[in-house]
Amino acid sequence: MSCAYEAALLKAWEGQNDSAHDIAHIRRVWDNCKALSDASTDTEVLYAACIFHDLVNLPKDAPNRAEASRLSAVAAAPLLAKLGLPDAKLPAVQHAIEAHSYSAGIPPETPEARILQDADRLDALGAIGIARMFAICGALGRQLYDPEDPLAERRPLDDTLYAIDHFETKLFRLPETMNTAKGIALAQERCAYMRAFRDALLAS
Amino acid sequence: MSCAYEAALLKAWEGQNDSAHDIAHIRRVWDNCKALSDASTDTEVLYAACIFHDLVNLPKDAPNRAEASRLSAVAAAPLLAKLGLPDAKLPAVQHAIEAHSYSAGIPPETPEARILQDADRLDALGAIGIARMFAICGALGRQLYDPEDPLAERRPLDDTLYAIDHFETKLFRLPETMNTAKGIALAQERCAYMRAFRDALLAS
């Protein structure tokens, strides 16, 4: 794949500082994309969509966060033209970018959009998902957990207050949202890892 | 133990917002203190020192951070007098507060100071240590790891840039700084957990 794509992303991201959405995230998602691809995948579409899926990167607590993937798809168009992506492939790339987002709620309609969505969700799970979740919690000044009721047995879940509530509000539900058989299997494995981590954390 | 101590701490901390140094941290450190105590421990001294050990809580990247434990010991004195701590016990409490800090470099000279130091360091290790480390990384806008060289095989370690460098610069060295036999054993166990987590993270 081409360094020109990464360079274009990094230029667009200049001045940003997000521990959970950085070039390392993009590269992990691309590794996941490759693991979920097969011979029928349009690699050019998938790669372009993967590189630019977080081009417009709004904070987790921004009110218009559900718009980020649509804004990314729009902002990617001129960059992709410059990078030489054939015009005919632009709609497929833009669809995969738009549909990758959990909060946008757009169903993925192509194999590449389904793969990118799974690949991005996998990066929220397992050990890397744990690291990213707590980095976001620290950046937003949230508590790690509720010391009075860490598992929310006597209160509603609230991941805007407590980081580990996010396991139940979102992360443990991701396996059932996955599109590909490989994605489902990996997501389940990574959720099991996170459950064991949560047990260890609360036993500390 | 007395809720009045916790209430005094929370009042002093008003307006602070630190995911890694909060009342849940204080309670975990107190649990560790109890696990490391024996019949000879002065529980009143240990509890008072535990509650106020982070009374003055400077950010990880503050230039005067090494002073925080000395400032906490000074600031604790009037609070402890109000809370009814016998005057004769104040020096022992202040010594334990001053000596708990890694960056202050003050050797702990009493059993209570040794226990508090171990108890606080244990909270930097294991699953809870991982959660706190990444929360601090996010709050300071640091990267999770260096995507080009995550294990620093071809560059110097730098935990001001990369969160996981902190495993090698500090956390994996904590077992050899522990004072108590139980503390050493628990620290080694928690470091093994962190090593396995790092492996899982970099395999993601």
Side-chain angles (χ1 to χ4, degrees):
Chain A
M1 296 293 112
S2 154
C3 289
Y5 274 72
E6 272 201 14
L9 175 67
L10 290 172
K11 200 177 162 206
W13 269 359
E14 253 171 31
Q16 278 195 175
N17 201 9
D18 181 333
S19 305
H21 297 90
D22 56 9
I23 199 68
H25 165 65
I26 302 296
R27 290 182 189 171
R28 288 189 305 268
V29 175
W30 177 236
D31 286 341
N32 294 341
C33 282
K34 284 185 287 186
L36 302 177
S37 294
D38 61 32
S40 72
T41 309
D42 185 330
T43 309
E44 189 176 32
V45 166
L46 184 57
Y47 183 71
C50 176
I51 291 287
F52 293 119
H53 78 275
D54 282 334
L55 177 58
V56 175
N57 200 1
L58 301 173
K60 277 276 176 209
D61 57 354
N64 60 337
R65 183 167 164 80
E67 292 300 310
S69 69
R70 283 187 188 83
L71 297 171
S72 294
V74 172
L79 302 179
L80 289 166
K82 262 197 208 165
L83 287 161
L85 183 86
D87 287 350
K89 294 197 173 189
L90 182 63
V93 173
Q94 289 188 303
H95 170 65
I97 293 176
E98 281 189 348
H100 91 273
S101 154
Y102 186 85
S103 42
I106 299 169
E109 290 176 359
T110 62
E112 292 74 22
R114 285 190 281 274
I115 290 171
L116 178 61
Q117 196 185 69
D118 281 11
D120 186 50
R121 286 175 190 184
L122 281 175
D123 205 47
L125 301 178
I128 185 67
I130 289 167
R132 296 176 69 215
M133 185 182 83
F134 287 113
I136 291 167
C137 145
L140 299 176
R142 294 173 180 170
Q143 285 185 262
L144 303 179
Y145 59 86
D146 177 0
E148 307 298 342
D149 185 8
L151 293 175
E153 288 161 334
R154 298 175 304 280
R155 60 171 176 83
L157 290 163
D158 187 347
D159 60 5
T160 69
L161 289 177
Y162 309 115
I164 72 167
D165 280 22
H166 199 56
F167 285 133
E168 298 290 346
T169 57
K170 178 170 172 188
L171 301 182
F172 290 162
R173 295 173 175 187
L174 287 183
E176 66 207 54
T177 75
M178 306 294 278
N179 307 294
T180 65
K182 268 191 205 166
I184 293 168
L186 284 167
Q188 286 171 339
E189 197 181 291
R190 290 183 179 204
C191 279
Y193 187 90
M194 291 194 298
R195 285 182 193 279
F197 179 90
R198 185 178 65 174
D199 291 345
L201 175 74
L202 296 179
S204 299
Chain B
M1 298 292 111
S2 155
C3 290
Y5 274 73
E6 271 201 14
L9 176 66
L10 289 172
K11 200 177 163 205
W13 270 358
E14 252 170 31
Q16 278 195 173
N17 201 9
D18 181 333
S19 306
H21 297 90
D22 56 9
I23 200 68
H25 165 66
I26 302 296
R27 290 182 188 170
R28 288 189 306 267
V29 174
W30 176 237
D31 286 340
N32 294 341
C33 282
K34 285 186 286 186
L36 302 176
S37 295
D38 60 31
S40 72
T41 308
D42 185 330
T43 308
E44 189 175 32
V45 165
L46 184 57
Y47 183 71
C50 176
I51 291 287
F52 294 117
H53 78 276
D54 282 333
L55 178 56
V56 175
N57 200 1
L58 302 173
K60 277 277 174 205
D61 56 354
N64 60 337
R65 183 166 163 79
E67 292 301 310
S69 70
R70 284 187 188 81
L71 297 170
S72 294
V74 172
L79 302 180
L80 289 166
K82 262 198 210 166
L83 288 161
L85 183 87
D87 287 351
K89 293 196 174 189
L90 181 62
V93 174
Q94 289 189 302
H95 170 65
I97 292 175
E98 281 190 347
H100 91 272
S101 153
Y102 186 86
S103 41
I106 299 169
E109 289 176 0
T110 61
E112 292 75 23
R114 286 190 281 272
I115 289 171
L116 178 60
Q117 196 184 70
D118 282 11
D120 186 50
R121 287 175 191 186
L122 281 175
D123 205 47
L125 301 178
I128 185 64
I130 289 167
R132 297 176 70 217
M133 185 181 85
F134 286 112
I136 292 167
C137 145
L140 299 176
R142 294 173 181 171
Q143 285 186 262
L144 304 179
Y145 60 85
D146 177 0
E148 307 298 341
D149 185 9
L151 294 174
E153 289 162 333
R154 297 174 307 276
R155 61 172 177 83
L157 290 162
D158 187 347
D159 60 6
T160 68
L161 289 177
Y162 308 114
I164 71 166
D165 280 22
H166 199 54
F167 285 134
E168 297 291 345
T169 57
K170 178 171 173 188
L171 302 182
F172 290 162
R173 294 175 177 185
L174 287 183
E176 67 206 53
T177 73
M178 305 295 278
N179 306 294
T180 66
K182 267 191 208 168
I184 293 168
L186 284 167
Q188 286 170 338
E189 198 180 290
R190 290 184 179 204
C191 279
Y193 186 89
M194 290 194 298
R195 285 181 193 280
F197 179 89
R198 186 178 64 174
D199 291 347
L201 175 74
L202 296 179
S204 298

